[in-house]
Amino acid sequence: MVKVNSLSAQQRLLQLAKTQFGAGISTSKDIESTNNTQDQGQFSDKHQQLAARSGAIFNSASLNINQRAERRLQMQRERQQHNLERIMAQALEYCPESVSAQDVDPDWFQQFCDLILDISNTNMQHLWAKILAGEIATPGKFSLKTLHTLKRMSYKEAMALQQAANLSCRTRQDPSARIYFGYISRPSLWRLLTGRSRAVVNLNQFGLSYPQILSLMDIGLLHSSEIESGTLPAGQQLNWQYQQLSMNGTVCSKDVVLQYYKYTASGAELLPLLNAQPNQQYVEALKQLLVNIIRFAP
């Protein structure tokens, strides 16, 4: 017997929100209207603003240190509540029409809520909202390990992941995303004479610097070392999918090994949340690099 799923994704999210903080949630527009932004000023102004946000009070003779501490803790709780409600509201906008009949694991949801309390950056909040919407649609889609990895990620590292996503492609043989950057050929007399036994493309020219790659490795989104494919025999067919572009080619050189960076399980889970932008210059540079190794179809 097929279980009838009577709740929409948004209805499920509203139920989850109610179990977390005992009430419904406002839309992101409602929350945005209450979020007063502060104008940028000189250093002293910024210092005062940050101090106020932290709950520290200067030149206040009316409050003793215990009262100031209570005020700081109250401000922290209010800020965390604001972050929680804002991400919940944003998740409503990402909820799909169809969802699984399976409910979100309550332990997963509780840890999710605990992790987002101190997420104040708007762009990072959008990522967390997409994760919640995706988990409601397909429970089990995002592991707790991925949530804790995202918690450690700074906005700068999120931008590095975005740049990596822009250069990522998949193959028909292995759907896991990877970033190709070079090749190695086994030594032969001709290759020793010409010096063409190894070649790489500079990914920094296309927005992904080596320090960014190292940072993605450090937080566990890319494997900690470059990967080498198995030896590709001459005549082997390759089918790559780069964004919306299909790249089909034939290996035309013997004993070729391709080099690439590969995403970890957590990186692979986060990658679909990003809006990858194709980089045609990277595609052309990669084809030019491999022109003597792979014959691509026009």
Side-chain angles (χ1 to χ4, degrees), residues 88-112:
M88 291 287 180
Q90 290 173 355
L92 279 173
E93 301 176 6
Y94 295 118
C95 284
E97 293 296 330
S98 60
V99 294
S100 169
Q102 181 182 355
D103 291 328
V104 175
D105 181 83
D107 294 333
W108 183 98
F109 181 66
Q110 183 59 54
Q111 290 202 44
F112 175 89

PDB file of all heavy atoms in Angstrom, residues 88-112:
ATOM      1  N   MET A  88      14.531  29.755   8.862  1.00  0.00           N
ATOM      2  CA  MET A  88      13.285  29.000   8.681  1.00  0.00           C
ATOM      3  C   MET A  88      12.409  29.662   7.623  1.00  0.00           C
ATOM      4  O   MET A  88      11.829  28.996   6.752  1.00  0.00           O
ATOM      5  CB  MET A  88      12.532  28.917  10.007  1.00  0.00           C
ATOM      6  CG  MET A  88      13.181  28.068  11.051  1.00  0.00           C
ATOM      7  SD  MET A  88      13.035  26.313  10.689  1.00  0.00           S
ATOM      8  CE  MET A  88      13.890  25.639  12.115  1.00  0.00           C
ATOM      9  N   ALA A  89      12.309  30.975   7.693  1.00  0.00           N
ATOM     10  CA  ALA A  89      11.480  31.701   6.735  1.00  0.00           C
ATOM     11  C   ALA A  89      12.030  31.583   5.320  1.00  0.00           C
ATOM     12  O   ALA A  89      11.283  31.399   4.348  1.00  0.00           O
ATOM     13  CB  ALA A  89      11.377  33.169   7.143  1.00  0.00           C
ATOM     14  N   GLN A  90      13.340  31.656   5.178  1.00  0.00           N
ATOM     15  CA  GLN A  90      13.952  31.528   3.855  1.00  0.00           C
ATOM     16  C   GLN A  90      13.758  30.125   3.296  1.00  0.00           C
ATOM     17  O   GLN A  90      13.590  29.944   2.088  1.00  0.00           O
ATOM     18  CB  GLN A  90      15.435  31.867   3.933  1.00  0.00           C
ATOM     19  CG  GLN A  90      15.712  33.342   4.178  1.00  0.00           C
ATOM     20  CD  GLN A  90      17.177  33.632   4.414  1.00  0.00           C
ATOM     21  OE1 GLN A  90      17.993  32.718   4.488  1.00  0.00           O
ATOM     22  NE2 GLN A  90      17.519  34.898   4.551  1.00  0.00           N
ATOM     23  N   ALA A  91      13.783  29.115   4.170  1.00  0.00           N
ATOM     24  CA  ALA A  91      13.596  27.734   3.714  1.00  0.00           C
ATOM     25  C   ALA A  91      12.227  27.538   3.078  1.00  0.00           C
ATOM     26  O   ALA A  91      12.063  26.711   2.172  1.00  0.00           O
ATOM     27  CB  ALA A  91      13.782  26.770   4.882  1.00  0.00           C
ATOM     28  N   LEU A  92      11.237  28.312   3.548  1.00  0.00           N
ATOM     29  CA  LEU A  92       9.903  28.217   2.940  1.00  0.00           C
ATOM     30  C   LEU A  92       9.951  28.525   1.444  1.00  0.00           C
ATOM     31  O   LEU A  92       9.232  27.928   0.650  1.00  0.00           O
ATOM     32  CB  LEU A  92       8.945  29.195   3.621  1.00  0.00           C
ATOM     33  CG  LEU A  92       8.323  28.772   4.952  1.00  0.00           C
ATOM     34  CD1 LEU A  92       7.537  29.920   5.550  1.00  0.00           C
ATOM     35  CD2 LEU A  92       7.425  27.553   4.760  1.00  0.00           C
ATOM     36  N   GLU A  93      10.823  29.462   1.070  1.00  0.00           N
ATOM     37  CA  GLU A  93      10.895  29.874  -0.331  1.00  0.00           C
ATOM     38  C   GLU A  93      11.561  28.824  -1.211  1.00  0.00           C
ATOM     39  O   GLU A  93      11.393  28.835  -2.428  1.00  0.00           O
ATOM     40  CB  GLU A  93      11.655  31.199  -0.423  1.00  0.00           C
ATOM     41  CG  GLU A  93      11.019  32.324   0.382  1.00  0.00           C
ATOM     42  CD  GLU A  93      11.839  33.604   0.357  1.00  0.00           C
ATOM     43  OE1 GLU A  93      12.846  33.635  -0.386  1.00  0.00           O
ATOM     44  OE2 GLU A  93      11.473  34.561   1.058  1.00  0.00           O
ATOM     45  N   TYR A  94      12.337  27.926  -0.604  1.00  0.00           N
ATOM     46  CA  TYR A  94      13.040  26.897  -1.372  1.00  0.00           C
ATOM     47  C   TYR A  94      12.330  25.544  -1.362  1.00  0.00           C
ATOM     48  O   TYR A  94      12.778  24.608  -2.010  1.00  0.00           O
ATOM     49  CB  TYR A  94      14.453  26.704  -0.821  1.00  0.00           C
ATOM     50  CG  TYR A  94      15.343  27.905  -0.987  1.00  0.00           C
ATOM     51  CD1 TYR A  94      15.874  28.563   0.128  1.00  0.00           C
ATOM     52  CD2 TYR A  94      15.670  28.406  -2.244  1.00  0.00           C
ATOM     53  CE1 TYR A  94      16.696  29.674  -0.011  1.00  0.00           C
ATOM     54  CE2 TYR A  94      16.486  29.516  -2.391  1.00  0.00           C
ATOM     55  CZ  TYR A  94      16.999  30.137  -1.269  1.00  0.00           C
ATOM     56  OH  TYR A  94      17.807  31.235  -1.413  1.00  0.00           O
ATOM     57  N   CYS A  95      11.240  25.437  -0.596  1.00  0.00           N
ATOM     58  CA  CYS A  95      10.553  24.152  -0.496  1.00  0.00           C
ATOM     59  C   CYS A  95       9.965  23.742  -1.845  1.00  0.00           C
ATOM     60  O   CYS A  95       9.247  24.526  -2.479  1.00  0.00           O
ATOM     61  CB  CYS A  95       9.432  24.220   0.543  1.00  0.00           C
ATOM     62  SG  CYS A  95      10.024  24.187   2.244  1.00  0.00           S
ATOM     63  N   PRO A  96      10.224  22.516  -2.306  1.00  0.00           N
ATOM     64  CA  PRO A  96       9.668  22.056  -3.583  1.00  0.00           C
ATOM     65  C   PRO A  96       8.199  21.648  -3.440  1.00  0.00           C
ATOM     66  O   PRO A  96       7.670  21.548  -2.327  1.00  0.00           O
ATOM     67  CB  PRO A  96      10.543  20.840  -3.907  1.00  0.00           C
ATOM     68  CG  PRO A  96      10.922  20.308  -2.559  1.00  0.00           C
ATOM     69  CD  PRO A  96      11.082  21.514  -1.660  1.00  0.00           C
ATOM     70  N   GLU A  97       7.570  21.405  -4.562  1.00  0.00           N
ATOM     71  CA  GLU A  97       6.164  21.022  -4.544  1.00  0.00           C
ATOM     72  C   GLU A  97       5.975  19.602  -4.019  1.00  0.00           C
ATOM     73  O   GLU A  97       5.063  19.320  -3.255  1.00  0.00           O
ATOM     74  CB  GLU A  97       5.581  21.130  -5.963  1.00  0.00           C
ATOM     75  CG  GLU A  97       5.498  22.547  -6.487  1.00  0.00           C
ATOM     76  CD  GLU A  97       4.537  23.403  -5.678  1.00  0.00           C
ATOM     77  OE1 GLU A  97       3.560  22.847  -5.139  1.00  0.00           O
ATOM     78  OE2 GLU A  97       4.748  24.625  -5.588  1.00  0.00           O
ATOM     79  N   SER A  98       6.842  18.681  -4.427  1.00  0.00           N
ATOM     80  CA  SER A  98       6.708  17.281  -4.026  1.00  0.00           C
ATOM     81  C   SER A  98       7.774  16.934  -2.997  1.00  0.00           C
ATOM     82  O   SER A  98       8.918  17.370  -3.102  1.00  0.00           O
ATOM     83  CB  SER A  98       6.838  16.350  -5.241  1.00  0.00           C
ATOM     84  OG  SER A  98       8.102  16.526  -5.865  1.00  0.00           O
ATOM     85  N   VAL A  99       7.361  16.164  -1.988  1.00  0.00           N
ATOM     86  CA  VAL A  99       8.289  15.757  -0.932  1.00  0.00           C
ATOM     87  C   VAL A  99       8.105  14.268  -0.657  1.00  0.00           C
ATOM     88  O   VAL A  99       7.091  13.668  -1.012  1.00  0.00           O
ATOM     89  CB  VAL A  99       8.051  16.562   0.364  1.00  0.00           C
ATOM     90  CG1 VAL A  99       8.378  18.021   0.155  1.00  0.00           C
ATOM     91  CG2 VAL A  99       6.629  16.386   0.862  1.00  0.00           C
ATOM     92  N   SER A 100       9.095  13.695   0.023  1.00  0.00           N
ATOM     93  CA  SER A 100       9.025  12.296   0.410  1.00  0.00           C
ATOM     94  C   SER A 100       7.980  12.095   1.497  1.00  0.00           C
ATOM     95  O   SER A 100       7.677  13.012   2.275  1.00  0.00           O
ATOM     96  CB  SER A 100      10.401  11.831   0.899  1.00  0.00           C
ATOM     97  OG  SER A 100      10.313  10.556   1.513  1.00  0.00           O
ATOM     98  N   ALA A 101       7.412  10.896   1.550  1.00  0.00           N
ATOM     99  CA  ALA A 101       6.459  10.584   2.623  1.00  0.00           C
ATOM    100  C   ALA A 101       7.162  10.426   3.961  1.00  0.00           C
ATOM    101  O   ALA A 101       6.536  10.483   5.018  1.00  0.00           O
ATOM    102  CB  ALA A 101       5.705   9.301   2.283  1.00  0.00           C
ATOM    103  N   GLN A 102       8.485  10.270   3.948  1.00  0.00           N
ATOM    104  CA  GLN A 102       9.261  10.101   5.172  1.00  0.00           C
ATOM    105  C   GLN A 102       9.462  11.438   5.869  1.00  0.00           C
ATOM    106  O   GLN A 102       9.691  12.459   5.226  1.00  0.00           O
ATOM    107  CB  GLN A 102      10.622   9.473   4.839  1.00  0.00           C
ATOM    108  CG  GLN A 102      11.517   9.224   6.031  1.00  0.00           C
ATOM    109  CD  GLN A 102      12.860   8.647   5.615  1.00  0.00           C
ATOM    110  OE1 GLN A 102      13.079   8.344   4.434  1.00  0.00           O
ATOM    111  NE2 GLN A 102      13.755   8.505   6.573  1.00  0.00           N
ATOM    112  N   ASP A 103       9.381  11.438   7.191  1.00  0.00           N
ATOM    113  CA  ASP A 103       9.574  12.660   7.968  1.00  0.00           C
ATOM    114  C   ASP A 103      11.057  12.902   8.219  1.00  0.00           C
ATOM    115  O   ASP A 103      11.874  11.982   8.212  1.00  0.00           O
ATOM    116  CB  ASP A 103       8.841  12.568   9.308  1.00  0.00           C
ATOM    117  CG  ASP A 103       7.330  12.590   9.143  1.00  0.00           C
ATOM    118  OD1 ASP A 103       6.857  13.246   8.196  1.00  0.00           O
ATOM    119  OD2 ASP A 103       6.630  11.945   9.949  1.00  0.00           O
ATOM    120  N   VAL A 104      11.394  14.164   8.476  1.00  0.00           N
ATOM    121  CA  VAL A 104      12.762  14.531   8.829  1.00  0.00           C
ATOM    122  C   VAL A 104      13.098  13.942  10.197  1.00  0.00           C
ATOM    123  O   VAL A 104      12.292  14.002  11.129  1.00  0.00           O
ATOM    124  CB  VAL A 104      12.925  16.060   8.863  1.00  0.00           C
ATOM    125  CG1 VAL A 104      14.307  16.454   9.357  1.00  0.00           C
ATOM    126  CG2 VAL A 104      12.667  16.651   7.482  1.00  0.00           C
ATOM    127  N   ASP A 105      14.284  13.369  10.315  1.00  0.00           N
ATOM    128  CA  ASP A 105      14.716  12.794  11.579  1.00  0.00           C
ATOM    129  C   ASP A 105      14.764  13.878  12.660  1.00  0.00           C
ATOM    130  O   ASP A 105      15.405  14.919  12.468  1.00  0.00           O
ATOM    131  CB  ASP A 105      16.100  12.164  11.417  1.00  0.00           C
ATOM    132  CG  ASP A 105      16.590  11.533  12.702  1.00  0.00           C
ATOM    133  OD1 ASP A 105      16.203  10.380  12.984  1.00  0.00           O
ATOM    134  OD2 ASP A 105      17.348  12.200  13.430  1.00  0.00           O
ATOM    135  N   PRO A 106      14.082  13.684  13.791  1.00  0.00           N
ATOM    136  CA  PRO A 106      14.029  14.745  14.817  1.00  0.00           C
ATOM    137  C   PRO A 106      15.403  15.082  15.394  1.00  0.00           C
ATOM    138  O   PRO A 106      15.651  16.249  15.745  1.00  0.00           O
ATOM    139  CB  PRO A 106      13.092  14.161  15.879  1.00  0.00           C
ATOM    140  CG  PRO A 106      13.065  12.690  15.626  1.00  0.00           C
ATOM    141  CD  PRO A 106      13.270  12.510  14.170  1.00  0.00           C
ATOM    142  N   ASP A 107      16.282  14.103  15.519  1.00  0.00           N
ATOM    143  CA  ASP A 107      17.627  14.387  16.031  1.00  0.00           C
ATOM    144  C   ASP A 107      18.415  15.234  15.028  1.00  0.00           C
ATOM    145  O   ASP A 107      19.167  16.139  15.420  1.00  0.00           O
ATOM    146  CB  ASP A 107      18.376  13.081  16.322  1.00  0.00           C
ATOM    147  CG  ASP A 107      17.745  12.307  17.465  1.00  0.00           C
ATOM    148  OD1 ASP A 107      17.107  12.941  18.331  1.00  0.00           O
ATOM    149  OD2 ASP A 107      17.888  11.071  17.501  1.00  0.00           O
ATOM    150  N   TRP A 108      18.253  14.923  13.744  1.00  0.00           N
ATOM    151  CA  TRP A 108      18.907  15.724  12.702  1.00  0.00           C
ATOM    152  C   TRP A 108      18.413  17.159  12.770  1.00  0.00           C
ATOM    153  O   TRP A 108      19.205  18.100  12.733  1.00  0.00           O
ATOM    154  CB  TRP A 108      18.615  15.125  11.334  1.00  0.00           C
ATOM    155  CG  TRP A 108      19.299  15.810  10.184  1.00  0.00           C
ATOM    156  CD1 TRP A 108      20.458  15.435   9.564  1.00  0.00           C
ATOM    157  CD2 TRP A 108      18.863  17.010   9.504  1.00  0.00           C
ATOM    158  NE1 TRP A 108      20.778  16.318   8.567  1.00  0.00           N
ATOM    159  CE2 TRP A 108      19.818  17.297   8.507  1.00  0.00           C
ATOM    160  CE3 TRP A 108      17.773  17.856   9.643  1.00  0.00           C
ATOM    161  CZ2 TRP A 108      19.716  18.391   7.653  1.00  0.00           C
ATOM    162  CZ3 TRP A 108      17.674  18.960   8.803  1.00  0.00           C
ATOM    163  CH2 TRP A 108      18.629  19.219   7.820  1.00  0.00           C
ATOM    164  N   PHE A 109      17.087  17.320  12.904  1.00  0.00           N
ATOM    165  CA  PHE A 109      16.520  18.669  12.914  1.00  0.00           C
ATOM    166  C   PHE A 109      16.967  19.452  14.140  1.00  0.00           C
ATOM    167  O   PHE A 109      17.239  20.650  14.059  1.00  0.00           O
ATOM    168  CB  PHE A 109      14.994  18.586  12.860  1.00  0.00           C
ATOM    169  CG  PHE A 109      14.324  19.931  12.846  1.00  0.00           C
ATOM    170  CD1 PHE A 109      14.486  20.789  11.776  1.00  0.00           C
ATOM    171  CD2 PHE A 109      13.546  20.343  13.920  1.00  0.00           C
ATOM    172  CE1 PHE A 109      13.887  22.045  11.765  1.00  0.00           C
ATOM    173  CE2 PHE A 109      12.937  21.592  13.914  1.00  0.00           C
ATOM    174  CZ  PHE A 109      13.111  22.432  12.834  1.00  0.00           C
ATOM    175  N   GLN A 110      17.068  18.782  15.286  1.00  0.00           N
ATOM    176  CA  GLN A 110      17.501  19.469  16.498  1.00  0.00           C
ATOM    177  C   GLN A 110      18.943  19.958  16.352  1.00  0.00           C
ATOM    178  O   GLN A 110      19.269  21.098  16.713  1.00  0.00           O
ATOM    179  CB  GLN A 110      17.385  18.544  17.714  1.00  0.00           C
ATOM    180  CG  GLN A 110      17.747  19.222  19.031  1.00  0.00           C
ATOM    181  CD  GLN A 110      16.871  20.427  19.315  1.00  0.00           C
ATOM    182  OE1 GLN A 110      15.640  20.328  19.317  1.00  0.00           O
ATOM    183  NE2 GLN A 110      17.492  21.576  19.551  1.00  0.00           N
ATOM    184  N   GLN A 111      19.815  19.116  15.792  1.00  0.00           N
ATOM    185  CA  GLN A 111      21.195  19.543  15.587  1.00  0.00           C
ATOM    186  C   GLN A 111      21.281  20.661  14.549  1.00  0.00           C
ATOM    187  O   GLN A 111      22.101  21.578  14.678  1.00  0.00           O
ATOM    188  CB  GLN A 111      22.062  18.352  15.163  1.00  0.00           C
ATOM    189  CG  GLN A 111      22.291  17.351  16.279  1.00  0.00           C
ATOM    190  CD  GLN A 111      23.522  16.499  16.048  1.00  0.00           C
ATOM    191  OE1 GLN A 111      24.576  17.000  15.659  1.00  0.00           O
ATOM    192  NE2 GLN A 111      23.382  15.198  16.275  1.00  0.00           N
ATOM    193  N   PHE A 112      20.443  20.582  13.527  1.00  0.00           N
ATOM    194  CA  PHE A 112      20.394  21.650  12.526  1.00  0.00           C
ATOM    195  C   PHE A 112      20.072  22.981  13.199  1.00  0.00           C
ATOM    196  O   PHE A 112      20.747  24.001  12.959  1.00  0.00           O
ATOM    197  CB  PHE A 112      19.347  21.316  11.466  1.00  0.00           C
ATOM    198  CG  PHE A 112      19.127  22.415  10.452  1.00  0.00           C
ATOM    199  CD1 PHE A 112      19.886  22.470   9.294  1.00  0.00           C
ATOM    200  CD2 PHE A 112      18.159  23.402  10.662  1.00  0.00           C
ATOM    201  CE1 PHE A 112      19.694  23.485   8.364  1.00  0.00           C
ATOM    202  CE2 PHE A 112      17.965  24.412   9.738  1.00  0.00           C
ATOM    203  CZ  PHE A 112      18.725  24.453   8.593  1.00  0.00           C
TER     204      PHE A 112
END
